[in-house]
């Protein structure tokens, strides 16, 4: 099975969906932040390993605690995944913190600030032009 085959893409999607459900409803670890989501799951073609990209909406400490909790719960999560997803091999899970959502939110905020500054400076220039034309 090639890395980008349709079968591998379907497996990635199914594993991502099940991991999201397991983390949201099955894990009771208080370290895991409630606003944790699985952004992407990447299963190797031999179905031995899975990298799960995790996004945590919270502070640095909450992100670190969530990743530690997921790392400790990985064998339990793998067992639950084996019960729900019918695969030849249940992949060994590795959780990776994905900060792309936080990065995107930050970039959007910066773009909004620049746009607001441009609009404010244009309004100031328009007011200055209006005062010069008094006849």
């Amino acid at each position: 099975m090639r890395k980008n085959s349709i079968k591998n893409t379907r497996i990635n999607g199914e594993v991502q969906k099940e991991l999201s459900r397991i983390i949201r409803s099955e894990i009771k670890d208080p370290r895991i932040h409630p606003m944790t989501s699985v952004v992407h799951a990447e299963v190797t073609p031999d179905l031995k390993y899975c990298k799960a990209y995790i996004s945590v909406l919270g502070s640095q400490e909450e992100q670190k605690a969530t990743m530690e909790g997921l790392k400790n719960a990985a064998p339990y999560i793998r067992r639950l995944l084996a019960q729900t997803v019918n695969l030849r091999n249940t992949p060994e899970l590795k959780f990776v913190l994905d900060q792309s959502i936080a990065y995107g939110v930050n970039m959007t905020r910066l773009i909004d600030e620049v746009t607001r500054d441009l609009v404010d400076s244009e309004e100031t220039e328009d007011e200055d032009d209006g005062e010069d034309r008094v006849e």
Side-chain angles (χ1 to χ4, degrees), residues 69-135:
L70 288 174
K71 183 179 176 185
N72 289 341
Y76 177 68
I77 295 171
R78 183 179 183 194
R79 187 168 60 246
L80 292 176
L81 187 65
Q83 293 171 357
T84 57
V85 179
N86 187 19
L87 294 174
R88 182 177 60 239
N89 297 319
T90 303
E92 184 180 319
L93 300 171
K94 180 179 182 198
F95 295 104
V96 179
L97 183 61
D98 183 21
Q99 297 179 331
S100 61
I101 294 174
Y103 179 77
V105 169
N106 187 36
M107 290 305 286
T108 303
R109 183 183 55 79
L110 292 173
I111 290 170
D112 289 343
E113 285 178 11
V114 169
T115 320
R116 187 173 38 248
D117 290 345
L118 285 174
V119 169
D120 291 344
S121 67
E122 287 176 0
E123 288 176 359
T124 306
E125 288 175 7
D126 290 344
E127 289 173 3
D128 291 343
D129 291 341
E131 292 173 3
D132 293 341
R133 293 189 203 166
V134 176
E135 294 179 15

Side-chain angles (χ1 to χ4, degrees), residues 12 15-16 19 40-44 47-53 81 90-96:
N12 288 344
V15 168
Q16 176 185 352
L19 283 175
H40 181 67
E42 197 172 281
V43 180
T44 57
L47 305 176
K48 298 276 186 193
Y49 302 97
C50 174
K51 264 190 195 175
Y53 295 91
L81 187 65
T90 303
E92 184 180 319
L93 300 171
K94 180 179 182 198
F95 295 104
V96 179

Side-chain angles (χ1 to χ4, degrees), residues 5-32:
S5 70
I6 294 171
K7 182 179 178 183
N8 196 295
T9 304
R10 254 190 2 247
I11 290 171
N12 288 344
E14 190 65 27
V15 168
Q16 176 185 352
K17 186 172 71 171
E18 282 302 314
L19 283 175
S20 293
R21 186 193 64 76
I22 290 169
I23 291 171
R24 184 182 63 248
S25 62
E26 301 288 333
I27 305 296
K28 304 296 185 219
D29 191 337
R31 294 177 291 182
I32 297 176

